[in-house]
């Protein structure tokens, strides 16, 4: 007579697999942000179901923490407020980058280590998260200075990050109102605008917006570029009504300018404007045709060429530059006070 062995239940195997999944999930969760033990248990039950932790959940969670530290060699820290956070992924640093991508990562870390770029803090947090997933030897490499840097001018003022985030959340969504410190007024100006985009130029962060109303009448009904650090943070108000899907048509100017042979003879000139086309002439000079929606910006860019650039059209831009040159002539015609006797 053959005795049939009792079949082993598979409950233990399933339970063991679920425990490993739960611990890997905890590592991922704590790598994103800190949490209290009660929050971790509640979050895990939402993801896996109520049975993921037994009735004595806190005890099971402590066992998970012990396994995370000892089996995976992760660094798990308890903060003063009782929250836990993962600061080192230990054996789970599975992201190993090739040399070319390590160089790119090092460049990004260097670039966003200073300045007041939009989303700088979020980008730094993203880069630190990526670095935390690297093996130890690559993490040490990333801290070494790189030989290639981009040197950009920086503003003497900083951008309020909360203001920047509020503007970004409402781009093309809601009209905003704010007080603005302009170069052309002794008192702060009032502006009500439709925010369109944020961008960085020459070390400053700008908001491009359509002006609905303003204490400066000349800006009403125009697309205006505002320096974000000149917006008074406490005055920003976001309207509840959503912006219309289409804003008024922006005026676009066709511009044409000629660059001297000293600038253009190597045929490697910069194309600053949209729709740029270049015609190289026999004498080595170049004629550029392009489009712009901002004559003020176009003037700032083209004046950098000094006497190596002649604007041919539009007439409005030529008039602006002539006025600027005349004001500069008058300024430098005055004798400097230090030279007076």
């Amino acid at each position: 007579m053959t005795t049939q062995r009792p079949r082993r239940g598979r409950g233990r195997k399933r339970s063991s697999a679920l425990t490993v999944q739960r611990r890997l999930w905890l590592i991922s969760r704590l790598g994103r942000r800190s949490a209290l033990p009660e929050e971790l248990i509640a979050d895990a039950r939402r993801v896996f179901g109520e049975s993921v932790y037994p009735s004595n959940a806190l005890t099971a969670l402590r066992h998970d923490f012990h396994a995370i530290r000892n089996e995976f060699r992760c660094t798990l820290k308890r903060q003063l407020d009782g929250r836990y956070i993962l600061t080192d992924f230990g054996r789970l640093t599975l992201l190993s980058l090739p040399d070319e991508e390590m160089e790119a990562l090092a460049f990004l870390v260097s670039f966003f280590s200073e300045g007041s770029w939009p989303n700088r803090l979020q980008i730094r947090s993203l880069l630190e998260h990526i670095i935390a997933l690297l093996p130890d030897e690559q993490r040490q490499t990333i801290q070494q200075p790189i030989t290639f840097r981009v040197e950009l001018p920086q503003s003497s003022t900083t951008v309020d990050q909360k203001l920047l985030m509020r503007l970004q959340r409402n781009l093309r969504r809601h009209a905003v109102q704010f007080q603005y410190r302009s170069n052309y007024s002794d008192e702060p100006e009032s502006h009500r605008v439709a925010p369109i985009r944020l961008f960085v130029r020459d070390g400053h962060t700008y908001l491009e917006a359509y002006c609905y109303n303003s204490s400066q009448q000349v800006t009403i009904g125009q697309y205006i570029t505002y320096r974000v650090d000149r917006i008074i943070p406490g005055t920003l108000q976001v309207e509840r009504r959503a912006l219309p899907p289409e804003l008024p048509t922006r005026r676009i100017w066709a511009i044409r300018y000629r660059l001297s042979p000293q600038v253009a003879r190597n045929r490697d000139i910069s194309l600053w404007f949209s729709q740029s086309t270049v015609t190289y002439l026999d004498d080595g000079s170049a004629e550029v045709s392009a489009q712009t929606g901002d004559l003020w910006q176009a003037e700032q860019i083209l004046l950098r060429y000094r006497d190596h650039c002649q604007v041919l059209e539009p007439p409005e831009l030529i008039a602006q530059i002539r006025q600027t040159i005349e004001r500069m002539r008058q300024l430098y015609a005055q004798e400097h006070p230090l030279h007076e006797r």
Side-chain angles (χ1 to χ4, degrees):
M1 181 175 179
T2 304
T3 305
Q4 187 174 6
R5 294 182 181 180
R7 296 180 62 187
R8 267 186 201 174
R10 300 183 61 189
R12 180 181 298 274
K13 183 176 181 181
R14 282 200 297 269
S15 175
S16 176
L18 182 60
T19 299
V20 173
Q21 286 183 335
R22 185 180 73 202
R23 289 170 180 173
L24 289 174
W25 175 86
L26 281 171
I27 291 169
S28 175
R29 169 65 176 80
L30 289 168
R32 292 198 304 272
R33 61 185 182 276
S34 62
L36 293 168
E38 295 79 8
E39 294 173 337
L40 293 171
I41 293 169
D43 287 350
R45 283 173 170 165
R46 279 193 291 271
V47 173
F48 295 98
E50 288 293 324
S51 62
V52 71
Y53 274 114
S55 56
N56 55 342
L58 286 174
T59 300
L61 183 64
R62 283 196 292 270
H63 289 309
D64 288 343
F65 286 169
H66 179 80
I68 288 171
R69 290 185 175 111
N70 291 276
E71 294 177 18
F72 299 117
R73 301 297 181 187
C74 297
T75 302
L76 184 63
K77 292 185 178 180
R78 184 178 186 273
Q79 299 174 321
L80 294 177
D81 59 359
R83 305 175 76 86
Y84 286 83
I85 190 167
L86 195 79
T87 59
D88 192 310
F89 285 85
R91 291 174 177 168
L92 298 180
T93 54
L94 301 179
L95 180 62
S96 184
L97 300 178
D99 292 343
E100 297 81 2
E101 294 180 10
M102 282 294 295
E103 292 173 4
L105 180 60
F107 169 78
L108 291 173
V109 170
S110 175
F111 186 84
F112 287 102
S113 64
E114 53 190 26
S116 55
W117 316 112
N119 284 347
R120 170 178 171 264
L121 297 181
Q122 295 93 324
I123 294 172
R124 283 290 303 180
S125 177
L126 170 63
L127 294 175
E128 288 169 2
H129 200 155
I130 294 173
I131 292 169
L133 291 169
L134 295 172
D136 183 61
E137 62 272 14
Q138 289 196 331
R139 289 203 303 271
Q140 293 179 11
T141 301
I142 211 73
Q143 304 303 326
Q144 298 175 3
I146 60 175
T147 56
F148 179 81
R149 277 183 76 90
V150 175
E151 296 291 346
L152 295 174
Q154 295 296 314
S155 174
S156 59
T157 59
T158 58
V159 173
D160 185 276
Q161 292 297 311
K162 290 184 179 179
L163 168 69
L164 195 62
M165 291 178 65
R166 290 185 68 196
L167 288 172
Q168 187 172 26
R169 283 197 296 265
N170 289 283
L171 293 177
R172 292 189 173 273
R173 296 182 62 192
H174 298 277
V176 298
Q177 302 177 37
F178 52 79
Q179 297 286 307
Y180 187 73
R181 299 187 184 95
S182 171
N183 284 345
Y184 304 100
S185 177
D186 294 332
E187 298 295 327
E189 302 171 357
S190 300
H191 291 263
R192 177 177 178 268
V193 306
I196 299 172
R197 69 182 179 112
L198 291 162
F199 64 95
V200 175
R201 185 176 68 213
D202 294 340
H204 299 296
T205 303
Y206 290 91
L207 169 70
E208 183 181 52
Y210 178 79
C211 182
Y212 287 124
N213 201 357
S214 171
S215 55
Q216 290 291 324
Q217 296 295 314
V218 294
T219 65
I220 298 176
Q222 304 291 326
Y223 284 87
I224 304 297
T225 299
Y226 299 91
R227 262 183 54 176
V228 175
D229 58 338
R230 290 180 180 167
I231 297 175
I232 303 174
T235 67
L236 181 68
Q237 298 180 29
V238 179
E239 298 183 2
R240 299 180 66 179
R241 182 181 298 178
L243 291 173
E246 298 293 334
L247 292 173
T249 303
R250 180 198 305 268
R251 182 177 179 183
I252 301 296
W253 287 269
I255 61 174
R256 190 165 56 92
Y257 56 94
R258 183 171 296 159
L259 298 174
S260 71
Q262 289 88 340
V263 173
R265 64 163 49 98
N266 288 323
R267 302 195 172 194
D268 56 359
I269 63 175
S270 298
L271 301 179
W272 299 97
F273 308 101
S274 64
Q275 306 297 318
S276 289
T277 59
V278 184
T279 301
Y280 291 100
L281 306 178
D282 293 339
D283 64 353
S285 63
E287 190 170 296
V288 182
S289 298
Q291 293 182 351
T292 183
D294 189 340
L295 290 183
W296 184 87
Q297 179 194 13
E299 179 187 1
Q300 306 307 305
I301 291 172
L302 296 179
L303 282 175
R304 297 176 182 181
Y305 288 109
R306 304 187 310 278
D307 57 329
H308 295 294
C309 176
Q310 180 187 11
V311 176
L312 305 175
E313 60 177 347
E316 300 96 322
L317 181 54
I318 296 173
Q320 278 184 211
I321 292 177
R322 282 175 175 166
Q323 291 173 5
T324 298
I325 293 173
E326 176 58 22
R327 287 194 295 266
M328 292 176 67
R329 187 197 65 79
Q330 293 177 10
L331 178 65
Y332 283 97
Q334 302 173 9
E335 190 168 358
H336 195 284
L338 293 179
H339 294 168
E340 293 179 356
R341 294 184 180 179

